Amino acid sequence: MDKEAKTDFEIHPLLKSRWSPRAFEDRPVETEKLQRMLEASRWAPSASNIQPWIFFIGLKGDPAYNKIFETLVEFNQLWAVNAPVLILSCGKITTGDNETPNGIWQYDVGQSVAYMTLQAMEDELYVHQMTGFDALKAAELFSLHEDIRAVSVVAVGSLGDPAMLHPRMQKSELAERERKGMDTFVFSEKYGTASDIVEI
Ligand SMILES: Cc1cc2nc3c(=O)[nH]c(=O)nc-3n(C[C@H](O)[C@H](O)[C@H](O)COP(=O)(O)O)c2cc1C
């Protein structure tokens, strides 16, 4: 399976090899690896160092896992059922005084998940983020205070055999990964005109 990014410029091997599988091996993840992932998320930058991220971690078979799984849309349940770990990512929407809105909380939560994702790759663990879940149900099941919002569910595990997947998911599991060209989103003077530095 060649899922490695075909890059125009050389990038870090962890960034190149990361992708979002749906087939996970039915094997628990070592606690130390999860600790490292969560430690990495902790060191993400955030606006005013507010660190608005909050994570609920579910290990297959425990109540947290079952609650997170219950919030997933049917499509995601079809494949995420194989993942040994599910993490619910949430964010606090107010700043330290609990009253002033933090306008950038969601950006910061996403960034901490990105850190987690790359640290996972270092230990040959794969992460698949999902927003196909019911955030209100998650808030209810985890009794979230009104200033805390669920953002995504993160499946974690070792790479599994694509043959275990529902047939409609096998094709994308094996397909080459695609991206837009940098000339479509890196500009200098004028929107829509590519910056010279991304010309290849
Ligand atoms: C915020 C976010 C939400 C996503 N939601 C879902 C989802 O609900 N179900 C799913 O199967 N994949 C989901 N994905 C995975 C994306 O489809 C995937 O990252 C994208 O196709 C690029 O593939 P790659 O991560 O393998 O490079 C999500 C990814 C992100 C970052």
Side-chain angles (χ1 to χ4, degrees):
M1 211 166 26
D2 186 15
K3 302 290 287 191
E4 194 165 271
K6 308 272 184 301
T7 61
D8 294 332
F9 302 97
E10 208 40 59
I11 59 173
H12 194 285
L14 287 180
L15 294 164
K16 214 167 160 171
S17 53
R18 182 217 63 83
W19 64 286
S20 306
R22 295 198 172 93
F24 287 99
E25 217 182 310
D26 185 14
R27 178 160 64 87
V29 175
E30 294 86 342
T31 306
E32 312 81 69
K33 293 183 180 176
L34 293 172
Q35 287 168 336
R36 277 200 286 273
M37 282 174 61
L38 293 159
E39 181 72 42
S41 73
R42 180 175 172 225
W43 290 98
S46 61
S48 306
N49 202 17
I50 288 173
Q51 306 160 57
W53 45 79
I54 294 156
F55 300 109
F56 291 88
I57 180 154
L59 309 180
K60 200 164 198 169
D62 76 10
Y65 185 101
N66 295 339
K67 285 199 276 190
I68 299 169
F69 186 80
E70 221 184 292
T71 68
L72 297 177
V73 297
E74 200 186 336
F75 173 83
N76 286 333
Q77 285 190 342
L78 275 176
W79 63 265
V81 68
N82 301 310
V85 179
L86 290 177
I87 300 173
L88 174 69
S89 87
C90 304
K92 186 167 176 292
I93 67 169
T94 50
T95 59
D97 63 10
N98 294 326
E99 280 168 22
T100 318
N102 173 6
I104 207 73
W105 68 276
Q106 208 164 5
Y107 181 99
D108 291 342
V109 173
Q111 191 148 228
S112 70
V113 173
Y115 268 48
M116 182 188 285
T117 300
L118 291 168
Q119 183 61 43
M121 279 307 299
E122 172 82 356
D123 282 323
E124 287 179 55
L125 285 176
Y126 287 78
V127 163
H128 195 134
Q129 303 175 46
M130 291 166 260
T131 46
F133 81 110
D134 186 337
L136 293 179
K137 192 169 182 178
E140 194 189 309
L141 291 174
F142 286 94
S143 308
L144 299 183
H145 188 265
E146 61 184 6
D147 72 347
I148 296 179
R149 301 272 159 80
V151 180
S152 68
V153 174
V154 179
V156 187
S158 305
L159 215 50
D161 182 353
M164 72 166 57
L165 291 173
H166 190 281
R168 81 189 233 229
M169 294 175 198
Q170 287 182 15
K171 205 172 150 210
S172 64
E173 196 74 355
L174 299 167
E176 192 173 308
R177 294 169 58 232
E178 287 176 4
R179 287 299 188 269
K180 295 176 187 170
M182 276 190 282
D183 58 343
T184 67
F185 65 90
V186 183
F187 312 133
S188 53
E189 208 184 317
K190 189 163 163 271
Y191 177 87
T193 304
S195 161
D196 289 345
I197 71 156
V198 297
E199 289 292 337
I200 43 175

